[in-house]
Structure formats: C-alpha cells, structure tokens
Amino acid sequence: MNALLRILAWLLAVALVASPVVAVLNGWVGAERWPLSRLRVTGQFERVQAEPLRAALAPYARAGYFAVRLDDAQRAVERLPWVETAVVRKQWPDVLEVQVVEHRPFARWGADRLLSERGRLFPLPADLAEARLPQLGGPDARTAEVVELYNETRALFAPLGYGVATLGMDARGSWSLVLDNGTEVVIGRDDARARLARFVRVLPQLLAQQARPLQRADLRYTNGFTLAWGQPRQSSSSPSPQVPAGAARPHAAQASST
C-alpha cells in the first residue's frame, strides 16, 4: 500500500509540473501572457485591402502566440478577394507575419471568372467587367492546355498583324477561336496545331485574291478547309462576279482560292 501511495504521489507531482506547459501549448494561458499584438504584411498590393486582411486574421491572433492555428489563418486569408496565395507565420514574441500574393489577371474564363497569370481561376470582380482581356474557355481541369494553345496561336497570327481575341475548347474537346478582326476559325479536335499552321501559311495568299473580308474558316478537314466571305469591300468601281455573302467555298490547303 505504501508503495502504491508513493507512486500516486509521484504521478500527482509530475502532473502539477506539466500542467502549466500543457496550458501554454493549448493557449489556456498563452492568449493572456503571450498575445500576438502586431501584424506584419508583405507583398505587392494593388487590390488587396488592409482592413479585410486584418479582420480575417484577428480571431486567430487573439488565440495567442502558442495557440494560433497558422493553417487555419492562412486559409482565411486565401478566401479574401484577389488573394491567390498566402503564407502565415509567427515571430517571437508577438508578431503575426503574412506574405500575400495577389491574383494577376491574364484572361477571362467563361462568363464570370478570370484566369490569373499563375493559372488560378477566381470570380470576375465588378471593376474588371469591362476590362480588355482575351476570352478563354474550356473545362476547368484543362486551363494549362488552353493557355498553351492560346500562346502558340498568338505567335502564329502575330506576323500577319492579327491578335487572338477568343480561344475555347468545348465539352467534346473541339477547339475554336476568334481573331481580333472578327474572323471565326473552327479548328476541331485533332491536330489543332498542324491545322492552324497550315491555315496561317496560306492565309495571306487567300486574302490577297479577295476583295471581301473573311468571316469564317472551318479547318476540320484532312487536306483543306472551307472559307466564308463577307460583303465586298468598297475598293473598286468596276463590277466583278460575286458569291452571295456568307457563302462557303472549299479550298485545298496547298492551293490558292479561285
């Protein structure tokens, strides 16, 4: 019995010594004796506001140095508008540090979202509703693939003086784009890059032979494409035979139009 009492007394003594440590680690004492009283924020900001950032972190800072849950605080910051990523740390004795990276808009995505330069999707803010950005679209899981083809397509058409205003992939994986002059190009699902390169190679020759603007090009053919032309340009006083507006003609990829 005496031995049992000695063991119980020893365990009680250990518990009394350990309890303050447990209290500090769980924040029972830390919030009062070691409060986080300073907030240090780093990053290049254009749209992230200080007050919402402070409000998001306040509940976590009140827990104190030893009890603050940094992962939860980080997620709270990343839920704020315009925040792409955040890293939250603490520095002894009373500093909560936050490093924030803002979204940098790269393009519109669908009807109501933007795609950042890092490939993140986020809601379209009201102040950017009229911003001039390229329009991209496709399955959310394939944003990187869409951006890659957009960049390649821009490089293809730039020497001809055209920009790419819209590029999208539908649910079946079929590609299409619209140039900045309004010309629609239907690419299809297979061999998108080869088809575009073939079309761009002969496009100057095709345009030189027409007094009408190109409205639509359908590249979904093995060895050619069809073209639809608009109203004739008012550049010549002499009459010439005309195809009705919007009519499509097939063209071999390696030949000029007739």
Side-chain angles (χ1 to χ4, degrees):
M1 181 63 69
N2 290 337
L4 180 60
L5 289 175
R6 284 197 299 272
I7 293 173
L8 291 174
W10 180 81
L11 291 175
L12 178 61
V14 170
L16 290 174
V17 171
S19 59
V21 177
V22 174
V24 168
L25 293 179
N26 286 279
W28 301 340
V29 179
E32 298 176 0
R33 297 186 59 183
W34 290 280
L36 288 164
S37 57
R38 292 188 293 164
L39 176 62
R40 182 181 299 152
V41 183
T42 59
Q44 296 182 351
F45 304 122
E46 293 182 9
R47 296 180 173 89
V48 175
Q49 302 297 315
E51 188 53 41
L53 186 59
R54 189 180 299 111
L57 288 168
Y60 303 96
R62 283 196 291 268
Y65 187 90
F66 291 102
V68 60
R69 297 185 176 183
L70 298 178
D71 290 343
D72 292 346
Q74 177 175 314
R75 283 189 288 269
V77 174
E78 290 180 339
R79 285 194 292 268
L80 294 175
W82 286 106
V83 174
E84 182 155 309
T85 61
V87 177
V88 181
R89 303 184 183 92
K90 56 186 177 181
Q91 181 174 332
W92 182 260
D94 62 348
V95 179
L96 191 62
E97 293 185 329
V98 187
Q99 183 178 7
V100 175
V101 175
E102 278 191 349
H103 289 297
R104 301 287 180 183
F106 175 75
R108 295 176 183 271
W109 186 267
D112 56 0
R113 288 184 294 174
L114 295 179
L115 180 68
S116 77
E117 292 178 353
R118 295 189 175 197
R120 300 282 187 91
L121 294 172
F122 62 104
L124 172 65
D127 61 336
L128 287 186
E130 304 300 325
R132 297 187 62 182
L133 294 168
Q135 176 71 56
L136 305 182
D140 289 357
R142 303 181 73 172
T143 55
E145 189 176 347
V146 174
V147 170
E148 182 180 6
L149 185 61
Y150 169 73
N151 288 330
E152 293 178 12
T153 304
R154 275 198 312 174
L156 276 175
F157 283 99
L160 304 183
Y162 298 118
V164 178
T166 301
L167 175 72
M169 174 197 294
D170 65 19
R172 297 179 294 108
S174 184
W175 296 94
S176 62
L177 64 84
V178 178
L179 299 177
D180 58 1
N181 67 345
T183 300
E184 179 187 0
V185 181
V186 181
I187 307 167
R189 287 186 295 178
D190 303 321
D191 302 321
R193 289 163 177 80
R195 290 176 179 180
L196 282 166
R198 183 176 62 200
F199 174 64
V200 169
R201 188 167 57 249
V202 300
L203 182 58
Q205 184 181 4
L206 297 175
L207 294 175
Q209 297 174 352
Q210 285 287 341
R212 295 171 294 166
L214 179 61
Q215 287 187 332
R216 188 174 188 269
D218 190 339
L219 315 186
R220 294 173 296 179
Y221 298 88
T222 303
N223 296 313
F225 39 79
T226 60
L227 305 178
W229 302 93
Q231 295 291 341
R233 300 185 182 95
Q234 302 301 318
S235 59
S236 175
S237 57
S238 60
S240 59
Q242 300 293 338
V243 176
R249 289 181 176 177
H251 295 270
Q254 66 273 17
S256 63
S257 62
T258 58

